[in-house]
Amino acid sequence: MSRTVIAGLDGSAESLAAAEWAAREARLRGLPLKLLHALEDWAPDYGSAPLIGTIAAPVAYTPKYWAERIPREMSERMRERHPGLEISTEQAAGRPVEVLQAAAKEAEVLVLGSRGLSTLTGFLIGSVSMSVLAHAERPVVLVRAGERAEDEHLPTPGGSGQQRHAYRDVVLGLDIARPCDEVIEYAFDAAAARGADLRIVHGWSLPPVFGYDPAAIDPVHNSELATRESAALTDVLLPWRSKFPGVRVEEQCVVGRAADHLADASTDASLVVIGRRRRRAAAGAHLGPVAHAVLHHAIAPVAVVSHQ
């Protein structure tokens, strides 16, 4: 049975951006789209004042009203914008974190919105999104508020904007010391679905001796280390190049923190793909430092793929 692309809805601008991205992803992958809204039993009623110039009494809108209206209006919008796409809606009772974590188990990908602060500061991640990201075993994509379809594409020649051009690169952050098949395959799949290039960023650090021995800072030694890292990256990717011969791959071995390079790469990417190792700490599941930094500073949508 094929999985479904699921978008979490709460009526906010960021969840609208998530639904739009999820609809485009569902079309790319030939999968159905589900719009999911969680309703907490304790949620209060909301009052709505009459429009200016009217004498109508205020109307009390119950949580059930919004639980029905939000998915219905979003599905109508998605059907209008994406004719032919199979779309379903679901209202689920329970805490949003628990509802979304349960949905993620059955999703091809779960798409969540996040409030973007600016083009310089990336995502503002809420507690719900952070908890879902830290626990989900299926890929989760975080989409900034205001993200548009045209942001994922290269500018059209002449800047006319009338015809959508090729997709920007898909960017994969890869640690060759612990390469993970699930993360690599997701990135190759995403690039193949878009007909995009795949840019693979591997950040590595110089040995500690480079920090305190001036004699060790030798261009020849530095070049040898860089060549060795580059060759190791090429070896890791060799079977994936064979599996996805239609995907053009650009390998980037860069010195420094991987998160910084991935944030920079996100400025002209259609999607950034990173991995999250499933692990338990004393305080429970959590995101690693690289994933945390990328999510807070990336400009493009970010796919977090969990792995062992």
Side-chain angles (χ1 to χ4, degrees), residues 46-50 56-61:
Y46 300 94
S48 174
V59 177
Y61 290 127

Side-chain angles (χ1 to χ4, degrees), residues 287-300:
L287 296 175
V290 173
H292 197 275
V294 172
L295 285 166
H296 278 82
H297 296 286
I299 302 302

